[in-house]
Amino acid sequence: MRKTTRRNRRMQQVSLITNIFFCLITLAALTGCIFLMLQNYSMRNASVEAMGRIQELEGIASEYIYSQKDLDNQVEAAVQAAMEEERKALLGGIKQKVLEGDSIISVFRDFFTEDVVVYADGGYHFFPISDKLKKHNYARENFIIKDEEIIYRDEAGGVDSQKGIDVSKHQGEIDWKGVSEDGISYAFIRAGYRGNSEGKLVEDEYFQDNIEGALEHDIDVGIYFYTQALTEEEAVEEAEFVLGLIEDYDVAYPVVIDLEETGSDTARTAEMTKEEYTRAAIAFCERIREAGYTPMIYGNIKTFMIMLDMEQIEAYDKWFAYYDTSVYFPYDFTVWQYSSTGAVRGIGGDVDMNVCMKEYKQ
């Protein structure tokens, strides 16, 4: 009876240990499963995060990384857009100026400020403003219109210019007393001209009356000669002709070579080149300088920008013809002929008006 009881107790102990063992095994297995599940969950989250990051990077790449062709296309599109805006602004500005009555040439001059714009021979010419040439230092706002005349004021507000005219036989007989009373301080007198066709030298038929009448009424005089010289030799001949006419008179203002286009295809100078015009002008001026007078060149914007080489005539004073209330010329000049329809006491009809910013009288 006791043996049976002991055996049963032992069997119960073995069964308990076995159950505990299997429970431990089951618990270990369960723990492993839980670990694997947690590890798998962590890996899946990491995978999802990684995939999200990859997608994010792909989004960034698709947004910011372009091929060279893409970049070229975008740059071209930006340039085209900017050009379109600039085109609209430019056309709007042109339209406004035209509506306000500005001429095409004045519109071009307003927009192309780094060029001298010239309309000549049926076309527009653009000359870049040269750093090699001396510029004038006149302030546009200092040119003042007073009683239909232009004067130049200095920075202090005082008059820094002289009122003058230029005359020839076209003014006919002049009452120089009346001219003097009208405040004219100097006059350029035409000495003569060379004919357009045959090239004959001709004295202006009113030269002597004009120079003597001006000097008699204390009006200083300068002299000009309308040139049609083809060569340096002819230019010197013209200078000698002028010197012979003025040798007995007090000439305080410059002696001028008047160089203008004739407007005729049959004129003797019609085929002259810029270099030929320039050499002839220099020859005239040098002969005048040798004789002790101040040489000067007269012309308009075509004369100076198209017919002559400005660099070669830098040394000579310039008399610039431009008929507007605001002078358009960047380079140095000392006399501005601003009108061909002036009215002066003692002269019947129109006369050229000039403003001089240099004191020539000694």
Side-chain angles (χ1 to χ4, degrees):
M1 185 73 172
R2 288 181 181 174
K3 289 183 181 176
T4 302
T5 302
R6 288 185 189 135
R7 186 169 54 219
N8 289 340
R9 188 180 297 155
R10 184 178 296 169
M11 289 179 63
Q12 289 175 353
Q13 290 175 345
V14 171
S15 177
L16 179 62
I17 292 172
T18 301
N19 289 336
I20 292 172
F21 177 75
F22 277 110
C23 286
L24 291 173
I25 292 175
T26 301
L27 181 62
L30 181 60
T31 303
C33 288
I34 293 172
F35 175 77
L36 289 173
M37 288 174 63
L38 292 173
Q39 188 178 41
N40 180 64
Y41 181 78
S42 176
M43 290 177 66
R44 187 176 65 178
N45 285 344
S47 176
V48 171
E49 183 179 352
M51 289 298 294
R53 182 61 179 163
I54 290 172
Q55 290 176 354
E56 183 182 347
L57 290 173
E58 287 178 347
I60 292 175
S62 64
E63 185 176 354
Y64 293 101
I65 301 175
Y66 305 98
S67 68
Q68 184 62 49
K69 183 178 180 181
D70 292 334
L71 290 174
D72 291 342
N73 289 339
Q74 292 193 28
V75 169
E76 182 179 356
V79 169
Q80 291 296 330
M83 289 177 63
E84 179 63 18
E85 288 299 317
E86 185 176 350
R87 185 186 72 85
K88 289 180 180 178
L90 178 63
L91 291 177
I94 292 174
K95 181 179 179 180
Q96 184 62 35
K97 288 181 176 294
V98 171
L99 289 174
E100 292 173 354
D102 290 1
S103 65
I104 296 301
I105 186 67
S106 67
V107 171
F108 280 166
R109 288 169 177 171
D110 284 343
F111 279 98
F112 295 93
T113 56
E114 296 183 355
D115 298 300
V116 179
V117 185
V118 183
Y119 181 77
D121 305 321
Y124 295 93
H125 306 261
F126 296 80
F127 299 93
I129 296 175
S130 174
D131 293 332
K132 298 179 180 179
L133 298 174
K134 182 180 178 182
K135 314 299 188 301
H136 68 71
N137 59 359
Y138 309 128
R140 283 190 175 187
E141 60 272 18
N142 288 359
F143 285 107
I144 307 296
I145 301 176
K146 182 179 180 181
D147 299 328
E148 299 184 356
E149 298 165 2
I150 292 180
I151 62 175
Y152 188 78
R153 293 193 179 277
D154 58 24
E155 297 304 322
V159 177
D160 194 22
S161 62
Q162 296 83 44
K163 175 183 176 182
I165 58 175
D166 58 271
V167 298
S168 68
K169 70 175 184 179
H170 299 295
Q171 277 66 50
E173 187 173 345
I174 296 174
D175 174 9
W176 285 98
K177 182 178 183 293
V179 172
S180 176
E181 291 172 347
D182 206 0
I184 298 298
S185 62
Y186 65 93
F188 283 99
I189 311 296
R190 187 172 76 163
Y193 59 93
R194 185 188 287 273
N196 287 342
S197 55
E198 297 179 2
K200 181 181 179 181
L201 298 179
V202 180
E203 178 183 344
D204 187 290
E205 59 190 87
Y206 280 85
F207 167 70
Q208 188 171 344
D209 289 342
N210 284 336
I211 194 170
E212 291 180 355
L215 291 173
E216 182 181 350
H217 292 87
D218 297 321
I219 296 173
D220 293 321
V221 299
I223 303 297
Y224 74 96
F225 183 89
Y226 178 76
T227 181
Q228 285 287 288
L230 292 174
T231 63
E232 294 171 80
E233 290 75 20
E234 286 191 352
V236 171
E237 181 185 19
E238 292 175 353
E240 295 287 1
F241 179 79
V242 172
L243 292 171
L245 291 175
I246 66 174
E247 59 183 351
D248 295 329
Y249 299 104
D250 180 17
V251 177
Y253 272 68
V255 176
V256 185
I257 181 171
D258 175 0
L259 180 56
E260 307 172 53
E261 63 176 336
T262 64
S264 172
D265 294 336
T266 60
R268 67 197 309 268
T269 58
E271 300 301 322
M272 285 183 68
T273 65
K274 174 182 283 193
E275 185 61 29
E276 289 170 338
Y277 276 124
T278 301
R279 288 201 301 264
I282 291 173
F284 180 97
C285 289
E286 285 304 303
R287 181 64 191 95
I288 295 301
R289 190 196 300 279
E290 289 173 4
Y293 299 94
T294 300
M296 176 181 272
I297 301 173
Y298 167 93
N300 55 26
I301 198 165
K302 179 177 180 179
T303 302
F304 291 115
M305 302 309 303
I306 294 178
M307 298 173 69
L308 293 173
D309 183 341
M310 286 287 290
E311 289 189 26
Q312 294 190 54
I313 62 169
E314 177 80 6
Y316 309 112
D317 287 1
K318 297 169 186 67
W319 176 9
F320 183 55
Y322 187 76
Y323 302 149
D324 203 339
T325 55
S326 180
V327 67
Y328 178 78
F329 194 63
Y331 303 118
D332 192 41
F333 63 94
T334 57
V335 181
W336 172 20
Q337 185 186 82
Y338 59 86
S339 175
S340 61
T341 57
V344 171
R345 194 181 313 164
I347 298 177
D350 295 336
V351 63
D352 295 337
M353 301 298 301
N354 299 276
V355 56
C356 179
M357 282 68 67
K358 181 176 180 179
E359 183 61 68
Y360 283 104
K361 186 175 181 179
Q362 300 299 321

